[in-house]
Amino acid sequence: MSQSLNISDLESKLEQLSAGEGLALIAEMFPGKVVFSTSLGQEDQVITQLIASQNLPVQIFSLDTGRLFPETLELLGRTESRYKTRIKVYYPETASVEKLVSDIGINGFYDSVENRKSCCFVRKVEPLKRALAGNQVWITGLRAEQSANRGGMKRVEWDEANQILKYNPLLDWTFDQMIDYIKEHKIPYNPMHDQGFVSIGCAPCTRAIFPGEDARAGRWWWEDSKKECGLHAK
Ligand code: SF4
């Protein structure tokens, strides 16, 4: 398929570039069709800074599931002020949330993997599909070392579920490299990271992790399943 050939050519090109240069190239190649999903995590804050500091024409958006930590929403506002930009916020469909809560209960996601996936679908996956619709490239803050599940990912890949090219500019960044960059550029970040929270999602489904634990061990810690919510399913 010619598409896969193009993707591997693009991958080779991007490998030669820094994350900031790669973002600029992608924004130039797909004018008006590049979006970046931020969950306000540290990786995403780095990418927001790289986009904003170069004034790239990339739409930054976030998914407000209705169950986020107040600190996350506070950081969203702080980030908008800092970079003088608007982060577009997508919300779940009201009728779908009402049906979900009526079916499984307000915290029914603790009861089964199936319930949890239903909740993630209504609050994250469906709004994400709306956010990505009509675009050609989806930028994400995935890093390969975040967890074993993410090790096989590529810098640029075709996302079959969402029918969009996915670009992961920080794929090979180490945790220390990211922290150094945040310090150097005084990038705003969630104060919960200083309290042992690494990967911060919805409040009822996130806990701090212990030293040496996998970065995503604090997400859906009561489950043995793959620690993904369906946003990055392949
Ligand atoms: Fe629901 Fe938890 Fe998924 Fe958030 S992370 S959408 S609260 S199951």
Side-chain angles (χ1 to χ4, degrees):
M1 188 173 163
S2 65
Q3 187 175 55
S4 55
L5 186 67
N6 293 341
I7 289 176
S8 74
D9 283 352
L10 188 55
E11 170 100 30
S12 317
K13 211 179 265 184
L14 290 167
E15 260 173 25
Q16 315 296 320
L17 303 176
S18 67
E21 290 167 342
L23 286 164
L25 176 68
I26 290 289
E28 192 189 326
M29 286 176 71
F30 302 90
K33 295 287 181 190
V34 184
V35 291
F36 163 49
S37 58
T38 176
S39 64
L40 287 304
Q42 288 157 302
E43 289 82 2
D44 292 342
Q45 290 299 91
V46 167
I47 295 176
T48 294
Q49 188 271 348
L50 288 168
I51 291 171
S53 63
Q54 301 183 85
N55 208 14
L56 298 178
V58 172
Q59 171 72 65
I60 306 175
F61 73 88
S62 193
L63 307 176
D64 183 348
T65 63
R67 301 300 298 259
L68 298 177
F69 287 95
E71 288 88 339
T72 302
L73 296 175
E74 189 275 334
L75 177 60
L76 194 151
R78 204 151 39 100
T79 304
E80 286 190 326
S81 305
R82 167 68 185 272
Y83 296 113
K84 297 185 177 43
T85 189
R86 182 65 72 217
I87 296 173
K88 187 170 165 66
V89 181
Y90 286 85
Y91 296 90
E93 299 284 4
T94 306
S96 304
V97 175
E98 286 177 356
K99 181 171 188 318
L100 174 83
V101 172
S102 161
D103 287 349
I104 70 169
I106 192 74
N107 291 327
F109 40 79
Y110 289 131
D111 298 338
S112 69
V113 174
E114 193 190 353
N115 283 2
R116 198 270 289 169
K117 287 190 172 168
S118 298
C119 187
C120 284
F121 183 83
V122 168
R123 294 180 186 276
K124 298 179 177 180
V125 178
E126 187 284 326
L128 174 74
K129 283 191 187 302
R130 265 186 283 132
L132 297 179
N135 289 293
Q136 291 180 318
V137 183
W138 171 24
I139 297 165
T140 90
L142 297 177
R143 283 188 308 110
E145 69 170 25
Q146 272 167 328
S147 82
N149 293 339
R150 295 183 168 185
M153 290 183 170
K154 295 204 168 119
R155 195 178 314 270
V156 56
E157 54 195 348
W158 179 249
D159 185 302
E160 192 60 37
N162 292 296
Q163 294 291 300
I164 197 165
L165 198 60
K166 195 153 106 173
Y167 173 41
N168 311 309
L170 303 190
L171 191 75
D172 53 8
W173 280 41
T174 64
F175 180 79
D176 290 345
Q177 188 179 357
M178 175 182 74
I179 297 299
D180 288 348
Y181 191 87
I182 287 172
K183 285 185 185 156
E184 186 187 341
H185 296 274
K186 299 189 171 43
I187 294 174
Y189 67 92
N190 194 324
M192 293 172 64
H193 289 303
D194 295 333
Q195 297 155 21
F197 289 83
V198 178
S199 174
I200 302 173
C202 292
C205 301
T206 302
R207 67 159 170 78
I209 63 168
F210 300 105
E213 270 190 306
D214 183 285
R216 287 181 70 81
R219 303 292 292 279
W220 309 292
W221 64 93
W222 64 91
E223 288 181 5
D224 289 332
S225 70
K226 245 172 105 177
K227 307 281 187 174
E228 300 289 352
C229 55
L231 294 187
H232 298 294
K234 291 171 83 175

